[in-house]
Amino acid sequence: MDHTVLTPVPGPVPAMPGAGAGRLRDDFDLDRDLDLDLDGDLDGDLDLDLDCDRDLDHEPEIEPEAEAEPDLAPAPLRLQAMSAILDGVLIAAGTAPPILIAAWALPVGVDLTRALLPAALALAALVAIAYGTLAHGLLGATPGERLLGIAVADRDGGTPGMGRAALRASLALVGTLALGAGLWPAIFTRSRRTLHDRLVGTRVVRAP
């Protein structure tokens, strides 16, 4: 009597319940993570490109260089005094002829001092103001200053101009008549600037 042993044939392993769903969920999560990573990278690249474009479009502002003040060497006090004397002689020379003509025309016996002194002083003041205004406003220096190599300049080193020159000449006359009070700052300061120079923003410098 034959005894046949039956060996069971291995068949497909039955799937565990829920294993397929878990694998599908893992695959889905992986795909979603990849999508998110790609989206994040793309967004980052786009942001970087936009930032680069914005930086290129935005031109850097170049601050203007501060203009350096001109190096104006103050004129020595002795040159200013000498030029004032020379200019005074020229002003007197321009004032004298009409005064002499008026004195010659007056009748004999008239007190010339009483009759002509006020007019002579007023005329000399007008001539001095006109002399300083025209010389400084147009040329930057009077004949006496030009002869000694000095000039009157504004803050930028240029010619003061007619308006500033007229104001300076008027204040200089007032400061000189006030016992020379307008000239004192030039004596006791290193800048050698008179009071009228300080008020109108000018200075007496060595001519370039």
Side-chain angles (χ1 to χ4, degrees):
M1 182 175 180
D2 295 332
H3 297 279
T4 304
V5 179
L6 299 177
T7 303
V9 179
V13 179
M16 297 296 293
R23 187 177 297 109
L24 291 176
R25 188 179 301 108
D26 292 340
D27 294 340
F28 177 75
D29 292 338
L30 180 60
D31 293 338
R32 184 176 57 185
D33 293 338
L34 290 175
D35 292 339
L36 290 177
D37 292 339
L38 291 175
D39 292 339
D41 293 339
L42 291 175
D43 292 339
D45 293 339
L46 290 175
D47 293 339
L48 182 59
D49 293 339
L50 290 175
D51 292 337
C52 292
D53 293 339
R54 190 179 301 111
D55 294 337
L56 290 176
D57 293 337
H58 179 68
E59 296 181 356
E61 296 181 357
I62 300 176
E63 297 182 357
E65 296 181 358
E67 296 182 357
E69 294 185 357
D71 186 11
L72 302 176
L77 192 60
R78 59 182 177 82
L79 294 183
Q80 296 189 42
M82 292 172 63
S83 66
I85 294 174
L86 293 176
D87 292 330
V89 172
L90 294 177
I91 292 172
T95 306
I99 299 299
L100 293 177
I101 293 174
W104 178 77
L106 289 175
V108 179
V110 175
D111 187 354
L112 297 180
T113 302
R114 180 178 299 178
L116 296 179
L117 184 59
L121 293 177
L123 179 61
L126 292 176
V127 171
I129 293 176
Y131 180 86
T133 300
L134 294 174
H136 292 144
L138 298 177
L139 304 175
T142 61
E145 292 169 343
R146 187 173 295 275
L147 182 62
L148 296 175
I150 61 178
V152 174
D154 59 10
R155 294 184 179 90
D156 299 326
T159 303
M162 295 297 292
R164 184 172 294 179
L167 181 59
R168 182 184 185 276
S170 301
L171 294 176
L173 178 62
V174 173
T176 302
L177 295 178
L179 300 179
L183 309 177
W184 296 347
I187 301 174
F188 300 107
T189 59
R190 296 180 60 183
S191 64
R192 302 305 183 195
R193 298 178 68 191
T194 58
L195 181 60
H196 47 273
D197 280 324
R198 295 173 182 272
L199 292 176
V200 301
T202 56
R203 64 185 65 195
V204 183
V205 299
R206 288 187 179 274

